[in-house]
Amino acid sequence: MTQERDWNALSDDEFRVIFREWVDANCPEHLRFMRKQRPTFDEVAEWYHALNDKGWLSPVWPVEYGGMGLDAGKHIVYVEEWARLGCPRIPDHGIGLTGPLLIEHGTEAQKAEFLPKILTGEHVWCQGYSEPGAGSDLASLRTQAVRDGDDFIINGQKIWTTLAHCANWILLLVRTTNSDKRQHGITVILVELSSPGVLVRPIKNLREEEDFCEVFFENVRVPAKNVVGDVDAGWALAKTVLGHERIFLGAPSRPEYALTRLEILAKDRGAFEDAAFRSRFAKLRLDLYDLGSAFERFAKVLREGGTLGADVSVLKIFCSELYQRITEEMLTVAGEEARFYDDLMVGDRGIDAMNLYLDSRAPAIFGGSNEIQRTILAKAVLGLPSG
């Protein structure tokens, strides 16, 4: 692994050129613009290891832990170029969640044990937050962890756990104390998925892919040394790792890619000869410009060292709903061919119309549903009362 320089000393444009040139030369062509939105570790391992060998796998980790140490502005450039070049998403719960959590709140022993193994890919992580009845309302979680000597014994269930069947560790939120204040009594603990009593059951989605899983815990014994931070203080701790990365839930890359595919399909199918379609397409294009401007406004706050407020929630709503409208228009243009899962061929290009349509349903739910985001805006930005 190499660490070449202080990237933050460069201008954003200089960093963009360097990052783009190396990624364009080194990201395998067969992994670019994958239909599969959440490939497994094995499917993208060569790219994962190439990034780690370069020292570019973990953009925001401090340099002393093997990261690039990028500030918020450079991280935005990193994400923008990644999307523009069609790089595949790597299993990133270790890089984006467990690692930052341990760097900020873990013991020195935890950092030494877990951080290097995230970088090498020896440990592949998943996130155990949501439960039946505790999705967007995580404070309602009921998975219990009871202290027993030097261990905790865990019983309960998690659901919608992304790629748990391909992971070997899970970052788990558990309830260690029952309290009238639901946010109190939640603890973060690290659990090896090969532990006796853990059962992982994949869930097929509408694309017949197994991105999500149920994970069951029956008397699973976990060392107390695997608790991150203080017992019962996990609620605040888990929220701290979000930081400036909340902005990426509203990044324009997905709707931008979808609109490009819509334009290719529409030209081939003669849709631009229809004035009504031209009008709808123009509105989508203008909305995408507006989303880009809004994203840049929040990015400017971060580049200047500011902190994002609750109003950043508007980005996720705008982005996810625009993505849905673009993919719905794509199915309209495709007509009866839209029913096919296979790509629609335009010359030698495949247009993944149905795949994009199905993918566009998820962003309105994950990362806090759009209903939750609207409630945040109503309370924190508009000052409207609850109820």
Coordinates of all heavy atoms in Angstrom, one line a residue, residues 151-209:
D151 N -18.8 -11.8 28.7 CA -19.5 -11.9 27.5 C -20.8 -11.2 27.5 O -21.3 -10.9 28.6 CB -19.7 -13.3 27.0 CG -18.4 -14.1 26.9 OD1 -17.4 -13.5 26.5 OD2 -18.4 -15.3 27.1
F152 N -21.4 -11.0 26.3 CA -22.8 -10.6 26.2 C -23.4 -11.8 25.4 O -22.8 -12.4 24.5 CB -23.0 -9.3 25.4 CG -22.8 -8.1 26.2 CD1 -21.6 -7.5 26.3 CD2 -23.9 -7.5 26.9 CE1 -21.4 -6.3 27.0 CE2 -23.7 -6.4 27.6 CZ -22.5 -5.8 27.7
I153 N -24.7 -12.1 25.8 CA -25.4 -13.1 25.1 C -26.5 -12.4 24.3 O -27.4 -11.7 24.9 CB -26.0 -14.2 26.1 CG1 -24.9 -14.9 26.8 CG2 -26.9 -15.2 25.3 CD1 -25.3 -15.9 27.8
I154 N -26.6 -12.6 23.0 CA -27.4 -11.9 22.1 C -28.5 -12.8 21.6 O -28.3 -13.9 21.1 CB -26.6 -11.3 21.0 CG1 -25.6 -10.3 21.5 CG2 -27.5 -10.5 20.0 CD1 -24.6 -9.7 20.4
N155 N -29.8 -12.2 21.6 CA -30.9 -12.9 21.0 C -31.8 -11.8 20.3 O -32.0 -10.7 20.8 CB -31.8 -13.5 22.1 CG -31.2 -14.8 22.6 OD1 -31.3 -15.9 22.0 ND2 -30.5 -14.7 23.8
G156 N -32.2 -12.2 19.1 CA -33.0 -11.3 18.3 C -32.9 -11.5 16.8 O -32.3 -12.5 16.3
Q157 N -33.3 -10.5 16.0 CA -33.3 -10.6 14.6 C -33.1 -9.3 13.9 O -33.6 -8.2 14.4 CB -34.7 -11.2 14.1 CG -34.8 -11.2 12.6 CD -36.2 -11.6 12.1 OE1 -37.1 -11.8 12.9 NE2 -36.5 -11.6 10.8
K158 N -32.3 -9.3 12.9 CA -32.1 -8.1 12.0 C -32.7 -8.5 10.6 O -32.7 -9.6 10.2 CB -30.6 -7.7 11.9 CG -30.0 -7.3 13.2 CD -30.6 -6.0 13.8 CE -30.0 -5.7 15.1 NZ -30.5 -4.4 15.6
I159 N -33.0 -7.4 9.9 CA -33.6 -7.6 8.5 C -33.1 -6.5 7.6 O -32.6 -5.5 8.0 CB -35.1 -7.7 8.6 CG1 -35.7 -8.3 7.3 CG2 -35.7 -6.3 8.8 CD1 -37.1 -8.7 7.4
W160 N -33.2 -6.8 6.3 CA -32.6 -5.9 5.3 C -31.2 -5.7 5.4 O -30.7 -4.6 5.2 CB -33.4 -4.6 5.2 CG -34.9 -4.8 5.2 CD1 -35.8 -4.2 6.0 CD2 -35.7 -5.6 4.2 NE1 -37.1 -4.6 5.7 CE2 -37.0 -5.5 4.6 CE3 -35.3 -6.4 3.2 CZ2 -38.0 -6.1 3.9 CZ3 -36.4 -7.1 2.5 CH2 -37.7 -6.9 2.8
T161 N -30.4 -6.7 5.9 CA -29.0 -6.5 6.1 C -28.3 -6.8 4.8 O -28.3 -7.9 4.3 CB -28.5 -7.5 7.2 OG1 -29.4 -7.4 8.4 CG2 -27.1 -7.3 7.6
T162 N -27.7 -5.8 4.3 CA -27.1 -5.9 2.9 C -25.9 -6.8 2.9 O -25.0 -6.6 3.7 CB -26.8 -4.5 2.4 OG1 -27.9 -3.6 2.5 CG2 -26.2 -4.5 1.0
L163 N -25.9 -7.8 2.0 CA -24.8 -8.7 1.7 C -24.3 -9.4 3.0 O -23.1 -9.7 3.0 CB -23.7 -7.9 1.0 CG -24.0 -7.3 -0.3 CD1 -22.8 -6.6 -0.9 CD2 -24.5 -8.4 -1.3
A164 N -25.2 -9.7 3.9 CA -24.8 -10.4 5.1 C -24.3 -11.8 4.8 O -23.4 -12.3 5.4 CB -25.9 -10.5 6.1
H165 N -24.8 -12.4 3.7 CA -24.4 -13.7 3.4 C -23.0 -13.8 2.7 O -22.5 -14.9 2.6 CB -25.4 -14.4 2.4 CG -25.6 -13.6 1.1 ND1 -25.9 -12.3 1.1 CD2 -25.6 -14.0 -0.2 CE1 -26.0 -11.9 -0.2 NE2 -25.8 -12.9 -1.0
C166 N -22.5 -12.6 2.4 CA -21.1 -12.5 1.9 C -20.1 -11.9 2.9 O -19.0 -11.7 2.5 CB -21.1 -11.7 0.6 SG -22.3 -12.3 -0.7
A167 N -20.6 -11.6 4.1 CA -19.8 -11.0 5.1 C -19.4 -12.0 6.1 O -20.0 -13.1 6.2 CB -20.5 -9.8 5.7
N168 N -18.3 -11.6 6.9 CA -18.0 -12.5 8.0 C -18.0 -11.8 9.4 O -17.8 -12.4 10.4 CB -16.6 -13.1 7.8 CG -15.5 -12.2 7.3 OD1 -15.6 -11.0 7.6 ND2 -14.5 -12.7 6.6
W169 N -18.3 -10.5 9.3 CA -18.5 -9.7 10.6 C -19.7 -8.8 10.4 O -20.0 -8.3 9.3 CB -17.3 -8.9 10.9 CG -16.2 -9.7 11.6 CD1 -15.2 -10.4 10.9 CD2 -15.9 -9.8 12.9 NE1 -14.4 -11.0 11.8 CE2 -14.8 -10.7 13.1 CE3 -16.5 -9.3 14.1 CZ2 -14.3 -11.1 14.3 CZ3 -16.0 -9.7 15.3 CH2 -14.9 -10.5 15.4
I170 N -20.4 -8.4 11.5 CA -21.5 -7.5 11.5 C -21.4 -6.5 12.6 O -21.0 -6.8 13.7 CB -22.8 -8.3 11.6 CG1 -24.0 -7.4 11.5 CG2 -22.9 -9.1 12.9 CD1 -25.4 -8.1 11.3
L171 N -21.6 -5.2 12.2 CA -21.6 -4.2 13.2 C -23.1 -4.1 13.7 O -24.0 -3.8 12.9 CB -21.2 -2.8 12.6 CG -21.3 -1.6 13.5 CD1 -20.1 -1.6 14.5 CD2 -21.2 -0.3 12.7
L172 N -23.3 -4.4 15.0 CA -24.6 -4.7 15.5 C -25.1 -3.6 16.5 O -24.3 -3.3 17.4 CB -24.6 -6.1 16.1 CG -26.0 -6.8 16.3 CD1 -26.6 -7.1 14.9 CD2 -25.8 -8.1 17.1
L173 N -26.3 -3.2 16.3 CA -27.0 -2.4 17.4 C -27.8 -3.3 18.2 O -28.7 -4.0 17.6 CB -27.8 -1.3 16.8 CG -27.1 0.0 16.2 CD1 -28.2 1.0 15.8 CD2 -26.1 0.6 17.1
V174 N -27.6 -3.3 19.5 CA -28.4 -4.2 20.4 C -28.9 -3.3 21.6 O -28.4 -2.3 21.9 CB -27.5 -5.3 20.9 CG1 -27.1 -6.3 19.8 CG2 -26.3 -4.8 21.7
R175 N -30.0 -3.9 22.2 CA -30.5 -3.2 23.4 C -29.9 -3.9 24.6 O -30.1 -5.1 24.8 CB -32.0 -3.3 23.4 CG -32.6 -2.5 24.6 CD -34.1 -2.2 24.4 NE -34.4 -1.3 23.3 CZ -34.1 0.0 23.3 NH1 -33.6 0.6 24.4 NH2 -34.4 0.8 22.3
T176 N -29.2 -3.1 25.4 CA -28.6 -3.6 26.6 C -29.3 -3.2 27.9 O -29.1 -3.8 29.0 CB -27.1 -3.2 26.7 OG1 -27.0 -1.8 26.3 CG2 -26.3 -4.0 25.8
T177 N -30.2 -2.2 27.8 CA -31.0 -1.7 28.9 C -32.4 -1.3 28.4 O -32.5 -0.6 27.4 CB -30.3 -0.6 29.7 OG1 -29.1 -1.0 30.2 CG2 -31.2 -0.1 30.8
N178 N -33.4 -1.7 29.1 CA -34.8 -1.2 28.8 C -35.0 0.1 29.5 O -34.8 0.2 30.7 CB -35.8 -2.3 29.2 CG -35.7 -3.5 28.3 OD1 -35.6 -3.4 27.1 ND2 -35.8 -4.7 28.9
S179 N -35.4 1.1 28.7 CA -35.6 2.4 29.3 C -36.8 3.1 28.7 O -37.2 2.8 27.6 CB -34.3 3.2 29.0 OG -34.5 4.6 29.3
D180 N -37.4 4.0 29.5 CA -38.5 4.8 29.0 C -38.1 5.7 27.8 O -38.8 5.9 26.9 CB -39.1 5.7 30.1 CG -39.8 4.9 31.2 OD1 -40.1 3.7 30.9 OD2 -39.9 5.4 32.3
K181 N -36.8 6.1 27.8 CA -36.3 6.9 26.7 C -35.6 5.9 25.8 O -34.6 5.3 26.1 CB -35.2 7.9 27.2 CG -34.7 8.8 26.1 CD -33.7 9.8 26.6 CE -33.3 10.7 25.5 NZ -32.3 11.7 26.0
R182 N -36.3 5.6 24.6 CA -35.9 4.5 23.8 C -34.5 4.6 23.2 O -33.8 3.6 23.0 CB -36.9 4.4 22.6 CG -38.3 4.0 23.1 CD -39.2 3.9 21.8 NE -39.2 5.1 21.0 CZ -39.5 5.2 19.7 NH1 -39.9 4.1 19.1 NH2 -39.5 6.3 19.1
Q183 N -34.0 5.8 23.1 CA -32.6 6.0 22.5 C -31.6 5.6 23.5 O -30.4 5.3 23.1 CB -32.4 7.5 22.1 CG -33.1 7.9 20.8 CD -34.5 8.3 21.1 OE1 -35.0 8.2 22.3 NE2 -35.3 8.8 20.1
H184 N -31.9 5.6 24.8 CA -31.0 5.1 25.8 C -31.0 3.6 25.9 O -32.1 3.0 25.7 CB -31.3 5.7 27.2 CG -30.4 5.3 28.3 ND1 -29.1 5.7 28.4 CD2 -30.6 4.4 29.4 CE1 -28.6 5.1 29.5 NE2 -29.5 4.4 30.0
G185 N -29.9 3.0 26.2 CA -29.9 1.6 26.4 C -29.5 0.8 25.2 O -29.6 -0.4 25.1
I186 N -29.1 1.5 24.1 CA -28.6 0.8 22.9 C -27.1 0.8 22.9 O -26.4 1.8 23.2 CB -29.2 1.6 21.7 CG1 -30.7 1.4 21.6 CG2 -28.6 1.1 20.4 CD1 -31.4 2.2 20.5
T187 N -26.5 -0.3 22.4 CA -25.1 -0.5 22.5 C -24.6 -1.0 21.1 O -25.3 -1.7 20.4 CB -24.7 -1.5 23.5 OG1 -25.1 -1.0 24.8 CG2 -23.2 -1.8 23.5
V188 N -23.4 -0.6 20.7 CA -22.8 -1.0 19.5 C -21.8 -2.2 19.8 O -21.0 -2.0 20.7 CB -22.0 0.1 18.8 CG1 -21.3 -0.5 17.5 CG2 -23.0 1.2 18.4
I189 N -21.9 -3.3 19.1 CA -21.1 -4.4 19.4 C -20.7 -5.1 18.1 O -21.5 -5.1 17.1 CB -21.7 -5.4 20.4 CG1 -20.7 -6.4 20.9 CG2 -22.9 -6.1 19.8 CD1 -21.2 -7.2 22.1
L190 N -19.5 -5.6 18.0 CA -18.9 -6.3 16.8 C -19.1 -7.8 17.0 O -18.6 -8.4 18.0 CB -17.5 -5.9 16.7 CG -17.1 -4.4 16.8 CD1 -15.6 -4.2 16.7 CD2 -17.8 -3.6 15.8
V191 N -19.7 -8.4 16.0 CA -20.1 -9.9 16.1 C -19.5 -10.6 14.9 O -19.8 -10.2 13.7 CB -21.6 -10.1 16.2 CG1 -21.9 -11.5 16.4 CG2 -22.1 -9.3 17.4
E192 N -18.8 -11.7 15.1 CA -18.4 -12.5 14.0 C -19.5 -13.4 13.6 O -20.2 -14.1 14.4 CB -17.2 -13.4 14.5 CG -16.5 -14.1 13.4 CD -15.2 -14.7 13.8 OE1 -14.9 -14.7 15.0 OE2 -14.4 -15.2 12.9
L193 N -19.8 -13.4 12.3 CA -21.0 -14.1 11.8 C -20.8 -15.7 11.8 O -21.8 -16.4 11.6 CB -21.3 -13.7 10.4 CG -21.9 -12.2 10.3 CD1 -22.1 -11.8 8.9 CD2 -23.3 -12.2 11.0
S194 N -19.6 -16.2 12.0 CA -19.4 -17.6 12.2 C -19.7 -18.1 13.6 O -19.6 -19.3 13.9 CB -18.0 -18.0 11.7 OG -17.1 -17.4 12.6
S195 N -20.1 -17.2 14.5 CA -20.3 -17.5 15.9 C -21.5 -18.5 16.0 O -22.5 -18.4 15.3 CB -20.6 -16.3 16.7 OG -19.6 -15.3 16.7
P196 N -21.4 -19.5 16.9 CA -22.6 -20.4 17.1 C -23.8 -19.6 17.4 O -23.8 -18.7 18.3 CB -22.1 -21.3 18.3 CG -20.6 -21.2 18.2 CD -20.3 -19.8 17.7
G197 N -24.9 -20.0 16.8 CA -26.2 -19.4 17.1 C -26.6 -18.3 16.1 O -27.7 -17.7 16.2
V198 N -25.7 -18.0 15.1 CA -26.0 -17.0 14.1 C -26.5 -17.7 12.8 O -25.9 -18.6 12.4 CB -24.8 -16.1 13.7 CG1 -25.2 -15.1 12.6 CG2 -24.3 -15.3 14.9
L199 N -27.7 -17.2 12.3 CA -28.2 -17.8 11.1 C -28.5 -16.6 10.1 O -29.2 -15.7 10.4 CB -29.5 -18.5 11.4 CG -30.3 -19.0 10.1 CD1 -29.5 -20.1 9.4 CD2 -31.7 -19.6 10.5
V200 N -27.9 -16.7 8.9 CA -28.1 -15.7 7.9 C -29.0 -16.3 6.8 O -28.6 -17.4 6.2 CB -26.7 -15.3 7.3 CG1 -27.0 -14.3 6.2 CG2 -25.9 -14.7 8.4
R201 N -30.0 -15.6 6.4 CA -31.0 -16.1 5.4 C -31.2 -15.1 4.4 O -31.8 -14.0 4.6 CB -32.3 -16.5 6.1 CG -33.3 -17.1 5.1 CD -34.6 -17.4 5.8 NE -34.5 -18.4 6.9 CZ -35.3 -18.5 7.9 NH1 -36.4 -17.7 8.0 NH2 -35.1 -19.4 8.8
P202 N -30.7 -15.3 3.1 CA -30.8 -14.3 2.1 C -32.3 -14.1 1.7 O -33.1 -15.0 1.8 CB -30.0 -14.9 0.9 CG -29.1 -15.9 1.5 CD -29.8 -16.4 2.7
I203 N -32.6 -12.8 1.2 CA -33.9 -12.5 0.7 C -33.8 -12.1 -0.8 O -33.0 -11.2 -1.1 CB -34.5 -11.3 1.5 CG1 -34.6 -11.6 3.0 CG2 -35.9 -10.9 1.0 CD1 -34.9 -10.4 3.8
K204 N -34.5 -12.7 -1.6 CA -34.5 -12.3 -3.1 C -35.3 -11.1 -3.3 O -36.4 -10.9 -2.8 CB -35.0 -13.5 -3.9 CG -34.1 -14.6 -4.2 CD -34.6 -15.6 -5.2 CE -33.5 -16.6 -5.5 NZ -34.0 -17.6 -6.6
N205 N -34.7 -10.2 -4.1 CA -35.5 -9.0 -4.5 C -36.2 -9.2 -5.8 O -36.2 -10.3 -6.4 CB -34.5 -7.8 -4.5 CG -33.4 -7.9 -5.5 OD1 -33.6 -8.6 -6.5 ND2 -32.4 -7.1 -5.3
L206 N -36.8 -8.1 -6.3 CA -37.6 -8.2 -7.5 C -36.7 -8.5 -8.8 O -37.2 -8.9 -9.8 CB -38.3 -6.9 -7.8 CG -39.5 -6.6 -6.8 CD1 -40.0 -5.1 -7.0 CD2 -40.6 -7.6 -7.0
R207 N -35.4 -8.3 -8.7 CA -34.5 -8.6 -9.8 C -34.0 -10.1 -9.6 O -33.0 -10.4 -10.3 CB -33.3 -7.6 -9.8 CG -33.7 -6.2 -10.1 CD -32.5 -5.4 -10.5 NE -31.5 -5.4 -9.4 CZ -31.4 -4.3 -8.6 NH1 -32.1 -3.3 -8.7 NH2 -30.4 -4.4 -7.7
E208 N -34.5 -10.8 -8.7 CA -34.0 -12.2 -8.4 C -32.6 -12.2 -7.9 O -31.9 -13.2 -8.0 CB -34.1 -13.1 -9.6 CG -35.6 -13.3 -10.2 CD -36.4 -14.1 -9.2 OE1 -35.9 -15.1 -8.7 OE2 -37.5 -13.7 -8.9
E209 N -32.2 -11.1 -7.3 CA -30.8 -11.0 -6.7 C -31.0 -11.1 -5.1 O -32.0 -10.8 -4.6 CB -30.1 -9.7 -7.0 CG -29.8 -9.6 -8.5 CD -29.4 -8.2 -8.9 OE1 -29.4 -7.3 -8.1 OE2 -28.9 -8.0 -10.1

